[in-house]
Amino acid sequence: MKKSVEVWHLCRAARNLMAHDYEIDYAEITEHFSTLHELAPVLYQVAGRFMEYCRQALSIQPSGNDFTDDFKNIAGI
């Protein structure tokens, strides 16, 4: 449980930096995108678990299947 909380906080911090920081130092921009690239598998897994939770617990799912199969393959669900 502790590791998943730490990963969540790391992903959240990376997202917040991207959404709210308008950096002009290209080395820092590069480092940030490299970090996001490294986090991509975790982000997809979290999104996949959230999608599965919505389907099972809330009976909510995408209205169309345009990208559902591709997303499930990437997210591992």
Side-chain angles (χ1 to χ4, degrees):
M1 175 73 168
K2 183 179 179 186
K3 180 160 176 63
S4 65
V5 172
E6 291 171 3
V7 169
W8 171 251
H9 284 291
L10 179 63
C11 292
R12 185 173 177 224
R15 181 260 173 215
N16 287 343
L17 283 172
M18 189 62 213
H20 301 293
D21 191 17
Y22 302 103
E23 186 59 55
I24 57 172
D25 180 341
Y26 292 114
E28 288 188 28
I29 293 170
T30 301
E31 182 179 345
H32 180 74
F33 278 102
S34 294
T35 300
L36 287 178
H37 179 72
E38 291 173 16
L39 289 173
V42 173
L43 296 171
Y44 284 122
Q45 290 170 0
V46 169
R49 288 194 305 267
F50 180 67
M51 186 173 156
E52 191 62 21
Y53 169 81
C54 288
R55 186 185 68 74
Q56 289 182 3
L58 306 173
S59 300
I60 299 171
Q61 55 192 5
S63 60
N65 290 324
D66 296 345
F67 302 104
T68 301
D69 291 336
D70 292 333
F71 179 78
K72 285 181 177 180
N73 287 331
I74 291 169
I77 57 171

